[in-house]
Amino acid sequence: MKGSTRFIISLIIIVPVLVLGLISIAPHPLAVVSSWKEARLAAAQSRFMDAANAYREIIEFQPERMDLWDTVGGLAFQASDNAGAVEAYQRAETAGVISNDGLFNLGAAYRNLGENLQAWDAWRRLAKMPGLKSEQYARLVEALRQSGDFDGALQAARAWSRAFPKNPQAAYAYGLHLSTIDPALALEILLPVSEEDIPESRKSQALIKGLETVAGHTQQEYGMVVIGQRLLEIQEFDLAEHTFLQAVKLNPDYAEAWVMLSEAEQSLGKDGWPALEKAQTLAPTSTMVWVEMALYYRRQGKPDKALPFLIALAEANPQDASWLTEIGATVAEQGDLIEALAYYQKAAELEPKNAAIWRALAEFAAENGFDAQTISIPAAEKALELDAEDPLSLDMMGWILLIEGELDQAEQFLQQALEKDAANARAKLHLAQVYLEKNNFSLAYKLLSQAAAQTKDPFAALQAQRLLDHYFPLKP
């Protein structure tokens, strides 16, 4: 009995103490539970900042959960809080818990803050991390390249190629970035890629031609200009610009390098005039300079300033009819279609066995409403007479007949063009237009989708997409 009494008395004393203790410690676990709920709910609702803040609260209560800093960094990055993302990822990296995606995002956050050196450093560290997936390497190479760290992009591409030796995209990226640094090794890497059935194979083939051209040449800046021209051809404009910048750095008096630098800059949407002006100062009578000056002024919508350079080119090359067609196109931009037509006709008279000149005449006449029966159709027929198998001439005839409403004949020529060149985006576009006129929408949709997806002919792809948007707005 006495023992029971003492037990009850002890409970009377201890229970209040326990209760008081619970009052002081209960908010801690309750707050943690609440923060976890809020973090998960906010993340599910794409309230990224709220989720990040909730996870920060959890870390305050449970400082041993350093692994959550990587999560906080990701949420802050998704919320475009770049400074917050950097701070969180730095904590995660210090604790040794940053993920590969987190390290990539850390570089991106630095870049968004304008701190390129820190971005490059983060991304270069990522390139050395084990276990990267192929798509992570691809994204890393592109990020370094877009930020202007071409050396870092080369390092990442090398790591990608070594980690995935059978991946042709990795090999292409490595060979591409290596092309102006070690042409012989780049050639060795790109040759197998050129034999693959992938989009990069065509680009590899073009680069290989340039690499073979510079083989054995000791003048480094010459090799850079040759490779840079190939890079322009395959629309790797940023790498081309970087290459030409290196060339003019090696030889500031290399006029052709300045010309090509201007072209690369214009291809990237930049002005390009300072580089072109430098080239003209170095070589005022250079054919290459004249060509680029004419191109520059035409792009600027100043055909009157382009014309003197084209006339000079035509006079310097009296047997080359292509300059007459360029003069015709430039005169047309000034609004004088009759004089422009005369230049096209002079070009055809100068080179009567050049199918490309006849096609240019046919296209100009058809586009500008000249009589088809007397000008555009005879010109297209002459082009086919010179080369009946040429898909470009077949397409041209089909397109002119489409304009004239001769749908059955147009269809025949366009089908022949695609038989000769199944990848001809312009022929697909024109044949689709024939089918639209014939109300054969299923065939039209198929051809337009194929044309819109092709990259070799941006103009045809754009026109195809516009027709898709107009006629098939509900199609995916």
Side-chain angles (χ1 to χ4, degrees), residues 424-444:
N424 191 321
R426 205 158 294 207
K428 289 180 180 180
L429 168 66
H430 296 151
L431 185 55
Q433 290 173 296
V434 170
Y435 288 139
L436 287 173
E437 292 293 325
K438 290 187 170 187
N439 295 320
N440 192 335
F441 293 103
S442 60
L443 286 177

Side-chain angles (χ1 to χ4, degrees), residues 135-156:
E135 56 268 25
Q136 290 176 315
Y137 275 117
R139 189 170 59 151
L140 178 58
V141 170
E142 188 63 22
L144 283 161
R145 177 176 165 178
Q146 287 184 356
S147 68
D149 184 7
F150 295 100
D151 290 338
L154 171 60
Q155 293 175 25

Side-chain angles (χ1 to χ4, degrees), residues 98-387:
I98 192 168
S99 64
N100 287 340
D101 284 338
L103 194 50
F104 179 86
N105 290 344
L106 174 59
Y110 273 129
R111 180 190 58 192
N112 294 341
L113 292 169
E115 299 177 5
N116 278 342
L117 291 178
Q118 289 89 336
W120 296 351
D121 181 61
W123 284 330
R124 289 191 182 199
R125 293 201 305 277
L126 177 58
K128 298 176 182 178
M129 295 292 285
L132 262 67
K133 298 177 182 178
S134 181
E135 56 268 25
Q136 290 176 315
Y137 275 117
R139 189 170 59 151
L140 178 58
V141 170
E142 188 63 22
L144 283 161
R145 177 176 165 178
Q146 287 184 356
S147 68
D149 184 7
F150 295 100
D151 290 338
L154 171 60
Q155 293 175 25
R158 182 189 295 115
W160 182 17
S161 181
R162 289 175 178 174
F164 296 89
K166 294 183 179 181
N167 187 315
Q169 282 81 17
Y172 172 73
Y174 184 26
L176 174 69
H177 288 84
L178 196 63
S179 58
T180 58
I181 297 170
D182 190 340
L185 181 55
L187 182 61
E188 179 183 331
I189 293 166
L190 290 172
L191 278 170
V193 181
S194 68
E195 298 172 358
E196 297 280 347
D197 185 19
I198 56 173
E200 289 83 359
S201 65
R202 181 187 63 83
K203 291 187 174 185
S204 296
Q205 291 162 10
L207 267 177
I208 286 168
K209 292 178 182 177
L211 293 167
E212 290 174 338
T213 300
V214 303
H217 281 273
T218 57
Q219 191 177 13
Q220 190 177 359
E221 60 267 35
Y222 167 78
M224 287 183 169
V225 169
V226 171
I227 300 301
Q229 288 174 315
R230 292 296 178 177
L231 291 169
L232 280 178
E233 179 185 325
I234 60 177
Q235 299 185 4
E236 301 283 6
F237 299 130
D238 57 337
L239 277 170
E241 179 191 34
H242 176 67
T243 300
F244 295 131
L245 282 169
Q246 296 303 306
V248 297
K249 186 177 180 180
L250 284 170
N251 185 355
D253 295 330
Y254 195 178
E256 287 80 2
W258 286 105
V259 169
M260 298 315 302
L261 174 59
S262 174
E263 179 62 24
E265 289 174 341
Q266 291 177 69
S267 298
L268 289 167
K270 301 178 182 180
D271 178 39
W273 174 252
L276 183 53
E277 188 176 37
K278 176 70 173 178
Q280 187 182 35
T281 301
L282 291 168
T285 60
S286 164
T287 296
M288 205 168 174
V289 171
W290 288 353
V291 171
E292 193 64 26
M293 292 293 285
L295 277 172
Y296 177 84
Y297 282 125
R298 287 184 66 185
R299 288 167 178 160
Q300 295 291 317
K302 299 175 180 178
D304 55 318
K305 291 190 174 182
L307 202 54
F309 292 101
L310 292 171
I311 292 172
L313 285 163
E315 291 174 349
N317 302 276
Q319 302 305 312
D320 188 347
S322 63
W323 296 119
L324 294 176
T325 63
E326 290 299 322
I327 292 173
T330 306
V331 169
E333 289 170 8
Q334 292 180 300
D336 193 338
L337 296 180
I338 301 300
E339 185 181 356
L341 176 63
Y343 275 105
Y344 279 97
Q345 291 172 326
K346 285 179 184 178
E349 291 172 5
L350 180 61
E351 291 192 48
K353 294 184 179 181
N354 187 332
I357 298 296
W358 287 106
R359 277 199 310 274
L361 170 57
E363 182 176 9
F364 172 80
E367 282 184 344
N368 290 283
F370 287 98
D371 183 63
Q373 298 302 320
T374 59
I375 303 177
S376 53
I377 289 179
E381 287 175 339
K382 185 64 176 179
L384 283 170
E385 179 185 318
L386 292 167
D387 187 355

Side-chain angles (χ1 to χ4, degrees), residues 395-396 398-408 410-411 414 418 425-449 451 459-468 470-472:
D395 171 58
M396 175 62 64
W399 176 62
I400 293 171
L401 291 169
L402 166 63
I403 293 174
E404 292 300 302
E406 300 291 341
L407 301 182
D408 291 337
E411 182 179 359
L414 294 168
L418 289 173
R426 205 158 294 207
K428 289 180 180 180
L429 168 66
H430 296 151
L431 185 55
Q433 290 173 296
V434 170
Y435 288 139
L436 287 173
E437 292 293 325
K438 290 187 170 187
N439 295 320
N440 192 335
F441 293 103
S442 60
L443 286 177
Y445 177 76
K446 180 180 178 181
L447 287 165
L448 288 173
S449 298
F459 175 80
L462 177 62
Q463 296 303 312
Q465 188 59 55
R466 286 175 175 172
L467 288 174
L468 282 171
H470 179 75
Y471 285 97
F472 307 98

